[in-house]
Amino acid sequence: MEEKMTVPKIVSLKGKRKIVSVTAYDYLFARIVDEAGFDFILVGDSVGTTYQGLNSTIPVTMEEMLYHTRIVRRGVKYSLVVGDMPFLSYQTSIEDAIRNAGLFLKNGADAVKLEGGIQVRDIIKKMVSFGIPVMGHVGLTPQSLNLMGGYKIQGKSEASIKRLKDDVEALVEAGVFAIVLEGIYEDVAKEITESVPIPTIGIGAGVHCDGQILVITDLLGLDPTFTPKFVKKYRDLHKEVLSALTEFKEDILNEKFPEEGHSFKRKE
Ligand code: KIV
C-alpha cells in the first residue's frame, strides 16, 4: 500500500488520473474501502438517509457525525478521511463553523466538506486560514432540500448555471481543495471542471469531473428501494444478505446449525 493520501496529493491528481472516492460510516466498511485503495472516504451526512432511515440529511447532528468519523478513522491507513459538516454546524456563525470543523479534525478527519457557494465563502476562508482543509459542494445540495423543492437536478436555466459558476468561483477564491459537483448536467460539470485549478468530484454530474464519488450502500445495492439514475449498482448485497440470513434461519429451525464442528466438546 502506498503512503497515506494527503490534501496536496489529492489536488495534484487533477489532470493526471481520476480521483476515486466513496462514502463510509463505520469501521468495518472503512477498512474495506481503505484496502481497496480509495483516495478519500467521505463520512457523509448521507448516514441519515442510508443508515438512520431518515427522509433527509437535515436532522443529522454533530454528535452523530463525530461518532461516525471516529469509527471510520479506526479502519483507515491510506485514504484521506473527509468529515461532512451537518446542517446548522457551519451556517450560524464563523465561530461555530471553526469550532465544529476543528472537532471533526480532533475526532480523526483529515478535512471537512460543507455545502454552498458564495454564502459560505467567508466561513471557508477563515477555516482555511486556521489550517482546516475544506472541500466544497455545489449543485444539488441535500441540506437545501426544502428550498429546492426536492432532490432535483440543478443548473437548468441560464441564470442557475451562472449562479453555479459564481458559487464555484467563490469556493476557489475561498481556498477549497476540491469541489463536489452533485446533480448537474454533464456539459456544465465539464465546463466547470475545465475552468478550475482544483479537482471536481462528481456524483450525478457525468464523466468529465476529475473524480467520482458514490454512496457506498447505493453502489453495493444494500437498499432495494433506492436506485437513482446516476448510480451504478455493482452488487445486489440486499439479495445476498437476505439469502444468507434466510439460510441461517432455516438451518436453526431444521436443527442443521450448529454443525458438529461448531460445538465445544468436553475432553474425555
Ligand atoms: O453525504 C454525502 O454522502 C454526500 C455525497 C453525496 C457527496 O455529500
Side-chain angles (χ1 to χ4, degrees):
M1 184 58 70
E2 286 176 47
E3 263 177 45
K4 194 176 161 15
M5 188 48 76
T6 62
V7 165
K9 277 190 206 167
I10 296 264
V11 177
S12 75
L13 289 174
K14 186 176 175 95
K16 294 210 182 88
R17 70 152 167 85
K18 294 285 183 183
I19 295 165
V20 289
S21 55
V22 68
T23 69
Y25 316 99
D26 58 31
Y27 168 77
L28 195 63
F29 271 119
R31 207 172 51 167
I32 302 172
V33 172
D34 191 62
E35 192 181 337
F38 278 75
D39 297 314
F40 75 87
I41 296 176
L42 175 68
V43 187
D45 63 353
S46 51
V47 70
T49 48
T50 55
Y51 273 59
Q52 299 177 349
L54 294 167
N55 289 330
S56 82
T57 57
I58 289 170
V60 175
T61 65
M62 266 302 290
E63 203 182 323
E64 289 163 353
M65 289 308 301
L66 295 181
Y67 166 73
H68 287 285
T69 301
R70 280 197 302 277
I71 62 175
V72 162
R73 172 84 270 162
R74 283 181 210 144
V76 175
K77 291 195 182 90
Y78 165 76
S79 309
L80 193 87
V81 175
V82 181
D84 204 5
M85 298 194 72
F87 185 60
L88 283 196
S89 68
Y90 56 93
Q91 295 93 337
T92 42
S93 69
I94 290 182
E95 288 74 16
D96 285 351
I98 290 168
R99 188 170 300 109
N100 286 325
L103 286 173
F104 269 99
L105 264 54
K106 281 175 181 281
N107 280 271
D110 299 304
V112 296
K113 173 175 87 58
L114 53 86
E115 297 181 8
I118 290 172
Q119 75 275 38
V120 287
R121 175 178 35 203
D122 293 343
I123 293 171
I124 294 176
K125 262 188 194 166
K126 206 67 174 178
M127 289 161 110
V128 174
S129 79
F130 286 122
I132 301 169
V134 182
M135 180 178 286
H137 183 166
V138 295
L140 195 171
T141 44
Q143 292 176 15
S144 303
L145 169 75
N146 295 314
L147 197 65
M148 294 183 300
Y151 296 108
K152 295 187 176 149
I153 296 293
Q154 300 297 300
K156 284 190 174 161
S157 64
E158 283 306 316
S160 76
I161 293 173
K162 162 116 182 35
R163 265 200 309 277
L164 201 52
K165 288 180 179 170
D166 289 346
D167 281 339
V168 166
E169 203 180 309
L171 290 178
V172 172
E173 190 213 324
V176 298
F177 71 93
I179 305 177
V180 170
L181 302 178
E182 177 167 1
I184 64 173
Y185 290 103
E186 192 176 67
D187 59 318
V188 180
K190 180 172 190 281
E191 227 186 293
I192 291 173
T193 300
E194 286 169 356
S195 73
V196 293
I198 51 167
T200 60
I201 311 296
I203 172 162
V207 73
H208 303 292
C209 298
D210 296 306
Q212 296 290 329
I213 186 165
L214 279 180
V215 167
I216 194 160
T217 49
D218 293 347
L219 78 95
L220 295 179
L222 274 161
D223 181 357
T225 66
F226 189 67
T227 41
K229 178 180 165 61
F230 61 85
V231 169
K232 179 171 174 185
K233 241 191 204 190
Y234 285 84
R235 294 288 184 279
D236 188 346
L237 285 197
H238 173 264
K239 194 167 138 203
E240 284 297 313
V241 173
L242 184 64
S243 128
L245 288 173
T246 307
E247 237 176 86
F248 178 46
K249 187 182 94 180
E250 292 302 318
D251 277 0
I252 299 170
L253 292 173
N254 296 318
E255 298 185 27
K256 285 188 174 168
F257 179 86
E259 293 166 10
E260 199 52 27
H262 298 130
S263 303
F264 299 99
K265 309 277 188 202
R266 215 176 268 284
K267 291 225 168 72
E268 297 286 306

